Amino acid sequence: ASVRDSTLDSLLLFSLLGLGVMTVVSGGLGWYVSGRVLRPVRAITETARRASDQHLGERLALTGAQDELKELADTFDDMLERLAEALAAQRRFVANASHELRTPLTVMRTAIDVALAKPNRTTQQLEDMAARVRRSIDRAENMIEALLVLAISDQGVTSSELLDRSEERR
């Protein structure tokens, strides 16, 4: 009975020791494998954090097997490319709109300066200047209205409400 108890105690000790070693080994192996598997996810996350309007040229260009993570990385690269193109188009649009709005303002300022620079200006000259300024104001207002329509159309329809048009006819 004592040999049997001693053998069972030894078996229990070796079993616990083996279980502890296997736990450490499997934990380490699991940590290593998960690190290798999640490396592309970390790369995607880091690139997403760095992505801004100043760093949209950076791409993941993930290499490796054609799996879900590679597909995600390629989709992310495509999205960054579209964002870069959209921001470039927006910058061009803002530059063109600024130039177009500056033109009527310059015409108005010039018309006013020329009219006021004449020492003996007539009423007709002042009326001509006022008409030029008025045309320039109308042109600027039309451009601003077009820009607002464009901005609203880019946002899409966000809400809808019923409008009672019978009140407008009264």
Side-chain angles (χ1 to χ4, degrees), residues 2-3 10 22 24 32-33 37 40 54 72 76 79 83 86-88 90 101 120 123-124 144 155 159 170:
S2 82
V3 172
S10 295
M22 289 308 294
V24 170
Y32 174 75
V33 169
V37 168
Q54 304 301 320
L72 175 64
F76 187 77
M79 180 191 66
L83 279 173
L87 282 173
Q90 181 183 25
L101 286 173
N120 298 325
T123 306
Q124 182 61 40
I144 290 170
Q155 292 177 359
S159 67
R170 293 181 194 175

Side-chain angles (χ1 to χ4, degrees), residues 99-112 127-145:
H99 176 73
E100 290 296 321
L101 286 173
R102 192 175 298 143
T103 302
L105 293 174
T106 303
V107 170
M108 286 185 266
R109 176 175 285 130
T110 303
I112 292 169
E127 287 177 4
D128 289 344
M129 181 265 308
R132 271 180 278 171
V133 169
R134 180 66 173 164
R135 282 192 304 270
S136 293
I137 289 172
D138 290 342
R139 182 176 172 206
E141 283 179 343
N142 288 338
M143 276 190 267
I144 290 170
E145 189 65 33

Side-chain angles (χ1 to χ4, degrees), residues 5 19-20 25-26 32 72 74 80 90 107 129 136 158 162-163:
D5 288 342
L19 181 63
V25 168
S26 64
Y32 174 75
L72 175 64
D74 291 345
L80 286 176
Q90 181 183 25
V107 170
M129 181 265 308
S136 293
T158 57
L162 296 175
L163 177 65

